[in-house]
Structure formats: C-alpha cells, structure tokens
C-alpha cells in the first residue's frame, strides 16, 4: 500500500452571497462541494477541470489561505504525526507550514516587485530559522543553481527576468524550506510550450531528488498528462473521476472526462472523438443542476441522471482506491479515450 501524505475527505468551501442594505446572506457559491481525494508520498496528482470548477479553492484550502467550510484534510507529517489542516488553528499548523508550499499561477504578480530575487527566495526560510548574511547568500546561490538560474542575478529585481525564469524563482522560493508537498496552481500555463517543458522537467527532477509530492492544478488535460501519476477531474465543485493517468486517457469512465479529452486539439486522432467536445457553459456553482451536475451538457444523460447523488463509485469493487467515477451509467457506456 502506498503511503498517503494527504487525505481530503468531504471538503467543502462555500462563499456567502450577500445582498441588500442589511447585507443579508442570500445564498452560497459552492466552490468546493464535498470533495474526496488522496495524495501518496512522492506522487504527482493532477487536478483538472474547466475554469471555475473549484481547483484553486481546493488548493487554497489545503495551504489554509482559505478556511474550509467543512470536511477534513488529513496531513501526515514528516515525523509521522497526523494533523487535520481543515480544522487546526494557525498555531497548530505553524510547525508544518514549511512542509507544504505553493507555487502560484502567475509569476508576474506573485513575486513582490520591490524585493530582490535574493530576498524573495530566502523569505520563507527566514521565517523558520535565523540565518547569517553569508549563510543566506550561500543558500540562495545553491537554490538558484539548482533551478537553473545564475546566482550572480540574485541582486536583481523580478522585472529583470523572463516568465520562465520567474517561475524558477517561485520554485526556488518554495524549495528553500525543503517542502514535502508542493501545490502548483497553473504554474506553467502562462509559459510557452518549450519553456513549459523545461520547468516541468525541473519539477520532475526535484521530485526524484527530494521525494516531493505534487498537486498539479491545470485546466486542460494535456498540461498534466506527462507529469501526473494520477488525475483527479473536478466539475462544479465535485470530483467526478479519479484514475491513474494512462488509464484515464485510454479508458475514461465519465462523459465529462471524455469531453475534456475531446477538447484537447493535439490529442484528437479520429474524427468521432471530435464530436465529444464540450458544448454549453459550466453551471453557476450557487445553483447547480439537480442530480448529476453534468447532465444538462451530457450527451448520454437519461432521466436517472437527474436524480443521482454524485458519489464516487469504484470501477473495480476490489480496488476502492483505484479508478473511481460518479457516472451511474459508466458500465453501459463505452467512452472514447485517446
Ligand atoms: N473569494 C471568493 N468569493 C466568492 N466566490 C469565489 C471566491 N473565490 C472563488 N470563488 C468562486 O468559486 C468558484 C471556483 O473558483 P476557483 O478559483 O476555485 O476555480 P478554478 O477551478 O481555480 O478556475 P480557474 O481554472 O479559472 O483558475 C468560482 O465560481 C469562483 O467565482
Ligand atoms: Mg484557478
């Protein structure tokens, strides 16, 4: 059995919608709506879904940039202790903060333009330990070399770097505290394809070297294919499918996954798949449809689909942690992979 580093169960994050003079709560944006998944040690899990599906909110709950509404996020620390990050107080989380780091979407806005790269990279490490000037410089130089940046550039400000270089600065910053789990939120989406490949390669090398686990957030499946061991597919705040990467691409068990695969232009091999591309819009998470949230856009939907409860079902009952889907029709459908 692989060792779990993170187990998310029944995670919910609702944002209140306020209206009127008295600022009354008139409803909730159910951004994350009962989400279950797990990350094993040294594993890369891809989290995919269209824009607005709740991917960033999930990541932000794990690092507690947001306080979850309900559910648990069980983290197994380096020393073996377990802590529920969803419920713990800030003071209880503090000792584990450095073990879980985040690399943000936009390297242009997430780096403070008034700080030198040296200060940016050293900042998280300085929170946990006092470093002398020379120790700090040495640490930053090592990290910069490791991520493929020239240490003599540490005196520069972020604007003097390219997008790919800034992303490397963000990675060096996360690495400065020896994290065990790194959440990458669209970390390579803004980079052009060849630079993307270099940064992904760097992330993979670092994983080998330090046994890091990644939660890799992206909105299309092509970005996560090569880096992920397993993939979690989200739709309107719900997980609709979890599966090992190879199998997800070749044997999807949810029409939403099939449609996502169909909307990856590069991967289309035969014309029949092309028909499966996504039409219509993502529903409003404050007023999701009845039953399966995907049924209004699903070309296989039946009356039953308007009543189902969207619980994850193991495709093989003997392997409850293996391939899982919320589609009640998965056995009858023969969905197309790529
Ligand atoms: N602070 C907030 N207040 C109210 N609603 C929010 C807040 N943050 C996010 N939302 C809503 O929650 C839903 C999920 O947002 P989230 O940013 O998690 O999506 P995402 O999957 O990361 O999308 P993208 O791919 O565009 O980054 C969206 O409908 C969004 O409008
Ligand atoms: Mg996002």
């Amino acid at each position: 059995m692989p060792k779990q580093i993170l187990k998310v169960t029944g995670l919910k994050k609702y944002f209140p919608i306020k209206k009127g003079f008295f600022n009354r709560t008139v409803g909730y944006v159910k951004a994350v709506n009962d989400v279950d998944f797990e990350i094993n040690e040294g594993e890369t899990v891809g989290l995919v879904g269209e824009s607005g599906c709740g991917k960033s909110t999930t990541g932000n709950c794990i690092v507690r940039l947001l306080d979850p509404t309900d559910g648990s996020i069980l983290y197994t620390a380096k020393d073996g202790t377990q802590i529920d990050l969803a419920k713990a107080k800030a003071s209880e989380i503090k000792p584990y903060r450095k073990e879980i780091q985040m690399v943000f979407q936009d390297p242009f806005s997430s780096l403070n333009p008034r700080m030198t790269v040296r200060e940016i990279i050293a900042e998280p490490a300085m929170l946990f330990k006092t470093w002398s000037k020379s120790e700090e410089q040495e640490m930053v130089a090592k990290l910069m070399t490791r991520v493929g940046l020239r240490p003599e550039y540490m005196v520069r400000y972020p604007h003097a770097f390219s997008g790919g270089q800034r992303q490397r600065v963000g990675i060096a910053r996360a690495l400065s505290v020896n994290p065990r789990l790194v959440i990458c939120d669209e970390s390579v989406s803004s980079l052009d394809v060849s630079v993307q490949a270099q940064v992904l390669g760097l992330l993979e090398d670092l994983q080998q070297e330090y046994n890091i686990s990644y939660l890799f957030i992206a909105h299309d499946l092509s970005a996560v294919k090569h880096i992920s061991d397993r993939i979690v597919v989200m739709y309107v705040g719900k997980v609709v499918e979890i599966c090992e990467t190879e199998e997800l691409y070749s044997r999807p068990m949810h029409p939403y996954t099939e449609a996502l695969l169909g909307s990856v232009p590069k991967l289309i091999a035969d014309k029949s798949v092309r028909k499966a591309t996504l039409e219509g819009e993502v529903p409003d998470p404050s007023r999701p449809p009845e039953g399966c949230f995907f049924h209004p856009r699903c070309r296989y939907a039946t009356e039953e689909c308007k009543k189902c409860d969207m619980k994850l079902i193991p495709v093989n009952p003997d392997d409850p942690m293996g391939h899982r889907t919320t589609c009640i029709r998965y056995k009858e459908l023969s969905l197309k992979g790529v």
Side-chain angles (χ1 to χ4, degrees):
M1 262 283 273
K3 230 162 103 190
Q4 279 176 4
I5 181 165
L6 196 79
K7 177 148 184 66
V8 176
T9 317
L11 183 67
K12 291 184 183 153
K13 178 65 192 176
Y14 294 178
F15 296 104
I17 305 169
K18 308 244 183 207
K19 265 214 181 102
F21 185 71
F22 296 106
N23 215 14
R24 273 189 315 130
T25 301
V26 293
Y28 292 93
V29 176
K30 295 174 180 173
V32 177
N33 193 354
D34 202 1
V35 156
D36 295 346
F37 69 92
E38 63 290 318
I39 303 175
N40 299 320
E41 215 169 52
E43 183 185 42
T44 301
V45 173
L47 182 60
V48 297
E50 285 166 287
S51 187
C53 281
K55 306 177 300 290
S56 297
T57 306
T58 303
N60 291 342
C61 285
I62 295 170
V63 293
R64 276 294 287 273
L65 279 173
L66 289 171
D67 293 332
T69 307
D70 198 9
S72 76
I73 303 170
L74 201 63
Y75 172 68
T76 307
K78 199 173 193 169
D79 59 12
T81 49
Q82 290 195 321
I83 173 170
D84 184 352
L85 300 171
K87 298 187 186 87
K89 293 194 206 80
S91 59
E92 293 165 330
I93 296 177
K94 197 168 178 246
Y96 308 105
R97 276 240 180 257
K98 61 178 173 183
E99 296 187 14
I100 307 173
Q101 289 293 308
M102 191 141 183
V103 177
F104 288 96
Q105 176 158 11
D106 183 0
F108 293 81
S109 61
S110 60
L111 303 179
N112 187 338
R114 291 198 183 81
M115 284 163 78
T116 62
V117 158
R118 170 177 170 166
E119 289 166 332
I120 290 171
I121 294 176
E123 191 182 40
M126 306 294 262
L127 293 176
F128 296 99
K129 195 178 134 187
T130 13
W131 301 74
S132 71
K133 279 279 158 228
S134 62
E135 277 174 339
E136 183 201 326
Q137 184 170 357
E138 197 184 320
M139 164 190 63
V140 172
K142 245 194 214 151
L143 285 166
M144 288 183 77
T145 311
R146 185 61 201 85
V147 300
L149 293 169
R150 303 171 71 134
E152 54 271 32
Y153 291 171
M154 70 170 76
V155 292
R156 292 189 179 181
Y157 289 86
H159 69 255
F161 291 87
S162 71
Q165 287 173 329
R166 284 187 223 210
Q167 203 50 279
R168 288 171 194 267
V169 172
I171 293 167
R173 178 182 154 93
L175 277 184
S176 73
V177 286
N178 293 319
R180 294 176 66 228
L181 174 63
V182 177
I183 298 174
C184 302
D185 190 351
E186 307 265 5
S187 299
V188 297
S189 311
S190 61
L191 307 175
D192 68 52
V193 178
S194 62
V195 183
Q196 249 184 37
Q198 289 166 9
V199 174
L200 290 177
L202 169 65
L203 289 170
E204 276 177 323
D205 292 347
L206 295 170
Q207 177 167 52
Q208 294 286 320
E209 216 171 307
Y210 303 108
N211 197 29
I212 300 172
S213 310
Y214 291 119
L215 179 65
F216 207 89
I217 299 175
H219 54 258
D220 78 74
L221 275 164
S222 64
V224 292
K225 182 172 184 187
H226 298 292
I227 191 161
S228 305
D229 299 303
R230 283 189 310 129
I231 294 190
V232 175
V233 182
M234 259 185 105
Y235 187 69
V236 200
K238 299 258 190 208
V239 170
V240 296
E241 186 165 7
I242 303 183
C243 183
E244 278 178 15
T245 307
E246 283 293 309
E247 179 157 327
L248 188 96
Y249 282 75
S250 58
R251 231 161 51 94
M253 291 286 178
H254 198 290
Y256 181 59
T257 312
E258 183 192 49
L260 280 182
L261 289 170
S263 56
V264 180
K266 270 183 293 188
L267 299 176
I268 293 172
D270 72 288
K271 287 209 174 78
S272 56
V273 184
R274 199 169 294 171
K275 281 198 213 116
T277 51
L278 275 163
E279 276 162 24
E281 301 218 339
V282 180
D284 177 354
S286 63
R287 278 175 294 126
E290 293 286 302
C292 172
F293 293 176
F294 189 58
H295 87 256
R297 298 171 82 189
C298 180
R299 55 189 191 142
Y300 309 105
T302 61
E303 282 304 308
E304 284 300 297
C305 300
K306 297 178 187 168
K307 289 179 260 170
C308 69
D309 62 2
M310 292 194 85
K311 288 274 173 243
L312 283 169
I313 314 160
V315 168
N316 172 4
D318 297 332
D319 185 12
M321 300 312 266
H323 199 162
R324 282 157 275 172
T325 175
T326 61
C327 181
I328 52 169
R329 298 197 62 208
Y330 77 90
K331 278 184 193 151
E332 320 154 41
L333 304 175
S334 47
L335 300 175
K336 279 218 167 64
V338 286

